[in-house]
Amino acid sequence: MDDEKYMKRCYELAIKAGKKGFDTFGAVLVHDGEILEEAENTADWSKGLFGHAEFNLVHKCANRYSDAILKASTLYTSCAPCERCLCAIASLGIGNVVFGVSYEAFSRLTPDDAVPVDREGLLRKLGISMKLSGPVLEEEGMHVFEWWGGEYRPLEELIAEMDEIKRKNR
C-alpha cells in the first residue's frame, strides 16, 4: 500500500514536469516512511541536458545523506529507470528501486520495442546489489505520459502514433 502512495507522488511530479514542457517523469527517495527528497525531469535535449528525474534526485542526495540512510532507503520512480540512471542510483548505494511503468509498457511510446535485459544480474556482476520492483499502478502511470512535453494528448493517440512509426520501420 505504501508503494502506491509514493508512486502516486511520482506521478504527480511527472505530470508537473510535463506541464512545464519536460518529459513526464518523477522520482522520490523514501526512508522510514518519510519522503527525504523528490525530483522532476528537467531534461532539455536541445541544449544537451540530461536531467532525468532519478538523476536529478541522485544529485540532490549526494553528500547530503549518510551511506547508512541511503542504503536503507527506497527510490521510487514513475518509470523503470534507464541504465544511466541505474548507475547513478547505484553510486549512492541505494539498493531498492520501485518503478511505476515497466520497460515493456513504456516501449509502447517509443519507436523501439523493449529489449529484455537482466539489469539486476548485470549490476550483480559489477558487485552492486539492487532490487528492481514493479510495475506499481502501471495503467495510471501510462496516462501520465498524456502530458509529455507540455501538451495534453490522449494515451491511445500516442500509442497509435508509435505503432504507425514501428510499422513503417519494419
Side-chain angles (χ1 to χ4, degrees):
M1 197 59 141
D2 282 346
D3 286 350
E4 291 183 1
K5 170 184 159 185
Y6 300 122
M7 195 56 60
K8 285 179 184 277
R9 181 60 185 149
C10 290
Y11 292 157
E12 290 170 0
L13 292 165
I15 290 171
K16 191 173 166 189
K19 287 182 177 180
K20 293 176 183 173
F22 297 110
D23 297 340
T24 49
F25 300 97
V28 299
L29 184 71
V30 176
H31 181 264
D32 284 341
E34 178 185 341
I35 294 177
L36 297 181
E37 298 290 343
E38 51 187 38
E40 303 170 15
N41 185 301
T42 58
D44 185 335
W45 302 113
S46 67
K47 294 179 182 174
L49 301 176
F50 184 62
H52 285 192
E54 303 93 338
F55 197 78
N56 290 342
L57 187 67
V58 165
H59 278 269
K60 283 183 167 185
C61 295
N63 298 315
R64 183 165 185 186
Y65 299 100
S66 71
D67 289 346
I69 287 175
L70 292 169
K71 184 176 182 169
S73 297
T74 300
L75 189 144
Y76 289 85
T77 178
S78 59
C79 191
C82 73
E83 283 69 21
R84 192 169 171 184
C85 287
L86 281 174
C87 290
I89 294 164
S91 75
L92 290 183
I94 296 168
N96 194 29
V97 175
V98 178
F99 59 86
V101 175
S102 66
Y103 296 103
E104 294 77 19
F106 180 65
S107 74
R108 295 183 69 201
L109 298 168
T110 66
D112 301 305
D113 292 329
V115 176
V117 175
D118 178 9
R119 289 165 178 85
E120 289 174 338
L122 289 172
L123 290 169
R124 250 190 322 277
K125 287 180 182 180
L126 297 171
I128 299 166
S129 176
M130 182 183 293
K131 181 176 183 338
L132 296 170
S133 304
V136 174
L137 300 174
E138 186 169 48
E139 186 174 330
E140 184 177 330
M142 287 296 287
H143 285 280
V144 165
F145 296 113
E146 293 175 328
W147 287 101
W148 190 280
E151 185 178 314
Y152 178 85
R153 291 179 58 206
L155 180 62
E156 298 75 23
E157 182 181 309
L158 296 169
I159 291 172
E161 184 178 304
M162 278 304 131
D163 285 346
E164 181 62 21
I165 289 171
K166 287 176 182 179
R167 187 187 63 72
K168 286 180 180 177
N169 288 340
R170 289 188 179 145

